[in-house]
Structure formats: C-alpha cells, structure tokens
Amino acid sequence: MSLVLPIPSGINSSLLENDLGRGFSIDENGGNAIKDCVFMCEKENINSTFPKTDLNNFTLIRSCESLKSALNVGGEIGLSFGLLYGKVMGSYMETNITNNETISFLYSRRVVDKIVELDYHAKPSNDIINEKDIDSFRSKYGLYYISKIEYGSFIDVKITLDSSNNNNNNNNNNNNNNNNNNNNNNNNNNNNNNNNNNNKTVDHSTIKKLKGEFEAGINFGIFKISVKYEIEKSESSSFSKINSTSSIVWGGCEPIDNRDNIQSFDDAMKIIDSFKVDPNKLVPIRIEISPIPQRVTTILYDNSMYLNQYKNKISSIGSFYWEIEQMIIQLQSFNKILNDNKDQQQQQLIYLNELSKGVDEQIKSLKNVQDSLTKFIQSSLKYILNKDIPYTDSTIFQIKLSTQQMIGSIFTETDKGRWIGPTVNNKPIFKGIYKYKDGSKYEGLCLDGKRHGNGKLTYRDGNIDQLISIDGKWDNDEVSFPSTINYKDKSEYKILDLKSLHEWKERLNKMKISNSLEFSNFSKEPDEFVFKYFVNVDLIEDNSFNDFYRNLILSSSFDDHQRFNFILLGMTGVGKTTMIELFLNIITGQVNDDPKQLRAVNLENNDDIIGVGKSKTKSVCRYDIEYHSENTWMFGITIIDTPGFIDSKDLDKDGRQHIKSILSSVVVNKLERIDSVSLVFNAELIGKIKEQSNLFSILLNDALECLSTLITFCDKKSQVNQIRNEIIDSIKDKPSIYIDNPWSKHPCNKFKEIEDNTEALQKIMKEKTIIIQEFFIDRIKSKSSFKP
C-alpha cells in the first residue's frame, strides 16, 4: 500500500523529477531518508499530469491532533514517519492551543499544478539485484521508493486571537521573528508575533462567541467579517482589546509584500488575498512512497514475514518519536516565554529560573529518549525483531503527562490536591491554582510545591476557624506579611509586621480545655475583646447536651441564620458574668463533666472582695461558641457580656447613656444583628427593679420584640409575682427565667463566695441546665432580631 506524505517548508524541498524511483527509508531523519535508486528513472517511464487543483482548509486548532489533521500529516504516515517528520509542526506549535482564553485557527491552501509519477513497470536498477543481505539492503535502499511527486504552491496562515485589558496595553511588544529559508525552490518561512501583552485580563465572552461561530460551520469569508467587527468594536472599548498573533509559511508563489511587517489581523488577511501561484517556482507539496515490490529482489521475498513484524515495530517507534518531538517543541516554546519574561518580571526570577532549569532538564531527558529510539531502529533486523522496544505505550504516556504538567497545560494531582499550573518534578511552581482536598483553593505563586510569594488562599465554607480568605504574602507555605485575613463575620485582620504575624498565629493556637472543647483569644485590645470556644459535638457523650444540640440544629434549620447573638444588660453586680459562665458551661456541653472556669478572668476587677454590687466585667466581651461536627463548622452562638451601669442619683440619665454606649461599642457594632436581649435584675434589690426596668424603654420596638428577663438570686415561687409587679408593663410579659445561679456556689468556680459540694447542688445544676437549654431554643425559635 502506498503512503502519501505532505512536504512542509524547508524539509526535502529540493526533490526533483529525477528522484522518482529512489529508495526511501522510514527510519532515518531528513535528507538521509532518500536512498539510492531502486528503479531507473527514464523519461518514458515518467507520467506527467497537470490537474490544476486548488484546495483550501480552515481549521480550529484545538490540540496537536487537530493541527496534524489540518496539515494533513495524520494517519498511518504520521505514525510510520515519526522519525522523519517529527518536526513538521515546529512552525505552528505553541504551548497554548485554543482554550478559554484564546482562539487559534489555521488557514491552509494548496494549489497542485503538476504531478509526476513513475510507471509501475520501470526497470529495477542493476545494482539492487546484487544485494544479498537484508540489513545491507535496508541501509542502502530502505524498504520504500518514491513513486509520485506533486508540485505546486502553498500558504499556511495561523492566527491566534486573544483579548486583553486596555489599561495594560502600555507595554505592548511587537516581536517580529523572520526566518527565511531561501532554498532552490524559494520557500519562505515568516513568523510575526505582535501585540504580546503581559498581565492581560481576558474577555472570555468575545473569545467564546468567535469560537461558537467557528464551530457552527460558517465559511472563512463570513468568519473574517465577524472577527474584523469584534476587533473594530474593541478598539473603542475602555475594557478590552482583541490582539492577534500571526505565523505564515509559504512557498511556490509570487513574492509576498510586507511579510516582515504583519501588525494586525487585516495585514494577515491581505497576505492571504495576495497569494498567487508562480509557475516558475513550484515546490514539492506531497510525495507518494510505495513498498519496494518483491519482484525487485529475492531478499524481500525471503524475509517477508520478518519485514511485516519489523514494520509494526517501526510504526510504534515512529509514533513514539513523533510524540516526543512535539513535547520538545512545546517545552522549547514554553522556555522561550519564560526567558522573555525574566527581564520584565525581576521579582519572579526565582520561580522563572527554577522552572526554566527544570524545562531544560526535561528537554535533555526527552532527547535521550529519542536517541535511544533512533539507536534501536538503526540496529540490525535480527536485533530489532528479537528485542523489545526500549519504551512502551504506558511509558511514553507517562512522559507526555509529566511534560504537559510541567508547562501547566493539564492539572497535576499531588498529595495535597489538584494543581493547575507549571510543575517541576511533580511539584507546583510559579503561578497557578491549587485546589486542596479539604475544599480550600489557593491562587498565586508556588515554589517547590509550597505557597511562596503573593497569593490568595480561599477557605472552604464551614471551616472550623471561620476563615474566608488569606490574601497576601506567603513564605514556605506559611502566612507572611503584608497579608489580610478575612473572616466569615466580615471582620478582617491585617498582618503588617512580625509582631502582628505573631499575634495572629497566637490566635490560631487553640488551648485545650477538655476533650471536646478548645479556646482561642481573638481580642484586639484595648477596645475589642473576643473569645472563641470550639465545640466538637462528636466527642460529647452527655445525653442532655446531645438533645439540646439536635434541637439547636432543628431550630436553626428553619432560619437562614448561621449565628445567633445574645446580649445581657443590667446594673453592676446583678450576676450577669456569673450567669454567662453557667450559660457557657451548658451550651458547650461541659456542665455535667466537671464545669470549667470559662469567662475571661483577665478582664475581671482586681478587688479583693467581689460580691453583690461589685462589677466583675470592665469591658464589653464577646464569647463565640463554634459548633463543629466531622471537621465541619455547623453554626455558632455568640453571647455578649457587658459592664453594668452604676446606681447613682441620676440613674435614669446615666443608665440610658450607658446602654447607648454599649450598643454602639466596637464589639456589638460588628454583629450583623442581635437575636436576644436579656435584662438581668437582682431579686435582692427589688426596690430598684422598677427604676432599672424603666431604663430599657429607650430600646427600639424591634429590640423590644427580642427582649427577655433574667431574675437572679431568686428561686422561690413566692418572690415571682412580687418581682413581676415591679417591672414596667412593656417588659413584664416578656419571657423570664427566675434562678438562683448554682454556679455561684459550685466548687469549680474560683470566684464563689460560699461553696456547696452537696448532692443537692448537683441536682439543682441539672434542673437549671434544662431550663437554660429551653431558654436558648425558645429564643432561637422566636426568629426575632434587630440591627444594633
């Protein structure tokens, strides 16, 4: 079976009619492939025809395979002749084919003006009959001969379009690389790269639209009009501009004007339109090679079975060689981009140098593979048949995979996740996107597989620390400065120096309070005190808490809130802080497992005697309880403890001002809303309750909807009605808890005045736990909230 081989510019372009009948070796490179005469090329055995065929092709370049098809170098010939034509696409290749950011297409035109063909009955050369050894025969003549040559003219124009931000067009580079191959057939190769912008922001919609039109099957003329329209439209756009890069290969035609100065899409189109055949400069476009028939020599007949096995191996090796050559071309093109960027990106030299070094080593390794294949294929026929090919399909696939990963054209799976960007030794380097296994994503610079340089780490929703992102500088996978940390509650923390970096890291260092509870201090003194408690509900075995947690989940599921905020207000010494500490123990699941001292003791007054009427809290404090299960944040409860207002002669004025200052404090103002306001009264100060409750009439109606009352130092039913009558009408019907706080006497409370270590206290603790759990569930179910 004959094989048709297209001839690219500059390769075997000097084929003459007298080369008909010459042997052709499929296992050698370049000019070495043409061997001695197999048939005598006499004039009477040459048939000439003049078909005048004119074929053009317009192809979207999606991959190497589509480019092979566009250049008509695919199929069996592409496999068998990998050794000879591995570089056929060198003038057309680039690291990025058509993708979401660019569109590349190839306009190819072939005009066949003359075909010369050797008659099948041509006589064999006299010398060929004397060959006795198959290896000698293969070396001298090959196993094929040239049976047909097509002459004519051709032009290939590859155009790549992209869209970049107009604000970044100040540094446009117009690079013209002109490589003219002036052979006997006057072939010319001209590569023009224009408008190559750095830091481009791609307009995906325009590129996507053009790609869609192309795939819809429109003809070249209509596509030209569409592209020209989009370019003209972009000229007046303040956002983006469409840029073009052109590569032209031509031969056998009249000289092309301005081929060295292609600055635009219009220039490329003018060259296509100006293409004209020159009958005096026709070049070989295609050759047809045919197997040397067995009638020529008995050697071929005697070794026919072995030759079939040999050709199968040659086909595989040719395919391997082709693949390796394309990898080398891509790596060389990628390396050129890296080296071109070194002068413009001095701050990124460390990445560019390491990546370029890795690319050089990969190219060297690939050339060693080629040398090994070439050495094998040029061995004796016996050796080739008895030995395995040095590489298998699987090995070549792995080499190709590592090459594509190196230039970032495909993703790389690592032990951390999926990296989309360049790699060296399977380790991320330079710019890219890292999608980690835990759901977080990093966009930025990497070095040796680690975050290093500028980048943004976006955390998965539901992470325990409630981080949204860290945007800034990284050093060996660790946060450095300057950087900005953003949290789910819309707060942010700026790391500007070593001190602030150390302080932020201290935040992340959680102190273990119990097997199921950890603590971290997020305070920013002097005006913002935030304390976080991380509750691992999977480790709590208390049935009472587990029922409470399930009810919280159920209650919160009917609302789109993921955090519920509670605030306690009241006069100095009414027991707010002691009550909050009981709350914290109950809602973190610690109350039945040796309750803990959970309030911020560093903010307590230093008075030697702390009792009724003494304020324990000096500042507004925020306690965030973060519930997580299976390493996923579920929801949060925030409790705000506030300094009490002081009993004074002008309590009405001073108290109202105090409440306003609390609601406008930094801690409270950062809350998206408040879901519950609890007014705390001391039953032992019954004479002051009416006056105190009157202060809260300043609250807005929205706040009154969220109101409840906590009556401390009260556990006798006989006191309830008396206290209720002292509270003003707008408040007295709000939900209430009457409680003599058992935590105030608990042995674990370091601030207790009287210790009660009896079983009765434990019983009371369990009773009050149920009451307080029901209180929180009721407040969340009420769905009332207001903006402070």
Side-chain angles (χ1 to χ4, degrees), residues 375-389:
K375 183 178 179 181
F376 179 84
I377 204 172
Q378 292 177 351
S379 302
S380 68
L381 184 64
K382 181 179 179 182
Y383 181 88
I384 293 173
L385 293 177
N386 291 331
K387 298 292 183 179
D388 292 330
I389 298 174

Side-chain angles (χ1 to χ4, degrees), residues 551-598:
N551 281 320
L552 284 178
I553 291 287
L554 184 61
S555 300
S556 62
S557 66
F558 292 107
D559 203 315
D560 58 356
H561 295 169
Q562 291 184 301
R563 179 174 296 281
F564 298 90
N565 303 310
F566 295 75
I567 187 169
L568 275 65
L569 300 171
M571 198 168 74
T572 298
V574 296
K576 295 187 303 298
T577 301
T578 306
M579 183 66 73
I580 283 178
E581 191 152 30
L582 178 62
F583 285 177
L584 291 174
N585 270 287
I586 291 172
I587 66 177
T588 61
Q590 308 303 304
V591 70
N592 291 325
D593 183 22
D594 293 331
K596 311 296 187 298
Q597 200 80 56
L598 298 179

